[in-house]
Amino acid sequence: MLYAIISEDVKNSLERRLAARPDHLARLEKLRDEGRLVLAGPHPAVDSSTPGEAGFTGSLVVAEFDSLEAAQAWADADPYIIAGVYAAVTVKPFNKVLP
């Protein structure tokens, strides 16, 4: 089943994000290579795909996991959590309807 992992950043997270980004991306690339990643990306803090120093307010990952518990465990081990980037993470089932 698909699960949405919706994360909210702490304020002024950009420096921590940049430091943890290589490890964060490596985990997403593994999901992609396994054919389990639907989409992933950050929420810019301003109306721009390149927010610069404004940074980001959170992230969204939609991926396939065996269970809610497995999705939660994967989310809990995110390098952004370990680095203190995320203030909150919500994991919930997701049904893709379109496209």
Side-chain angles (χ1 to χ4, degrees):
M1 173 154 200
L2 295 178
Y3 294 88
I5 302 169
I6 306 153
S7 307
E8 295 180 38
D9 281 23
V10 299
K11 291 199 184 295
N12 302 313
S13 64
L14 186 57
E15 188 174 313
R16 286 183 249 181
R17 257 185 179 270
L18 293 175
R21 189 168 191 263
D23 292 336
H24 173 78
L25 289 179
R27 294 178 80 236
L28 291 169
E29 290 165 351
K30 184 173 188 278
L31 284 179
R32 180 201 60 206
D33 294 348
E34 293 170 351
R36 297 170 43 204
L37 183 65
V38 174
L39 64 89
H43 300 286
V46 294
D47 192 12
S48 172
S49 61
T50 54
E53 291 184 18
F56 301 91
T57 62
S59 301
L60 171 64
V61 174
V62 177
E64 183 178 345
F65 293 92
D66 291 334
S67 66
L68 178 59
E69 293 78 17
Q72 185 69 59
W74 186 90
D76 289 344
D78 193 304
Y80 281 174
I81 288 182
I82 296 162
V85 173
Y86 292 151
V89 177
T90 301
V91 180
K92 53 187 170 180
F94 178 79
N95 285 331
K96 182 180 176 187
V97 175
L98 293 171

